[in-house]
Amino acid sequence: MNQNKIVINDFSKEKSAQQYAENWPDNPESLNLYENGFQCGGCAFFAPWNQDWGLCCHQKSPHFSETVFEHFTCSSYVNEGWGPHSFTEDVDCHCRCHGENGWK
């Protein structure tokens, strides 16, 4: 029996929503990434559900398999740009358009 509970329009984990709302009080590295524009929407492991929300697919992330806001971030962020995502840390496999071709 399938037990998946998919959330597509909000954080799927309350603690993550709280971290975002409070500017990562226990994680200054994530706040620094956020303030410098390195946010989930540009991570190689972000699978978008819609314009604002998506699934974290990075097994090294503390948010793996959570629905997160595209402007959220974490210390496992892998920059690929706001275009298509490769779901790999290997930069040789990353999209080179960085969303410049109207993907988003």
Side-chain angles (χ1 to χ4, degrees):
M1 185 166 148
N2 186 350
Q3 296 295 316
N4 291 341
K5 307 265 192 232
I6 297 173
V7 177
I8 63 171
N9 289 308
D10 201 355
F11 285 95
S12 60
K13 189 172 181 183
E14 182 60 34
K15 183 176 180 182
S16 298
Q18 185 178 8
Q19 287 176 343
Y20 180 72
E22 296 176 359
N23 289 316
W24 299 271
D26 300 325
N27 192 333
E29 181 181 359
S30 290
L31 179 58
N32 185 53
L33 285 166
Y34 170 80
E35 289 177 338
N36 286 289
F38 298 107
Q39 301 165 2
C40 290
C43 180
F45 292 89
F46 180 76
W49 296 122
N50 54 41
Q51 290 295 101
D52 295 318
W53 301 94
L55 182 68
C56 174
C57 297
H58 195 349
Q59 291 183 354
K60 294 180 182 176
S61 172
H63 306 286
F64 175 63
S65 74
E66 288 182 39
T67 297
V68 293
F69 186 45
E70 68 177 347
H71 296 294
F72 190 64
T73 195
C74 79
S75 57
S76 298
Y77 178 86
V78 177
N79 188 30
E80 186 168 12
W82 287 71
H85 295 145
S86 62
F87 303 95
T88 180
E89 292 182 8
D90 184 351
V91 295
D92 290 336
C93 296
H94 285 182
C95 175
R96 288 167 179 66
C97 80
H98 301 286
E100 298 288 324
N101 296 330
W103 178 76
K104 188 169 175 185

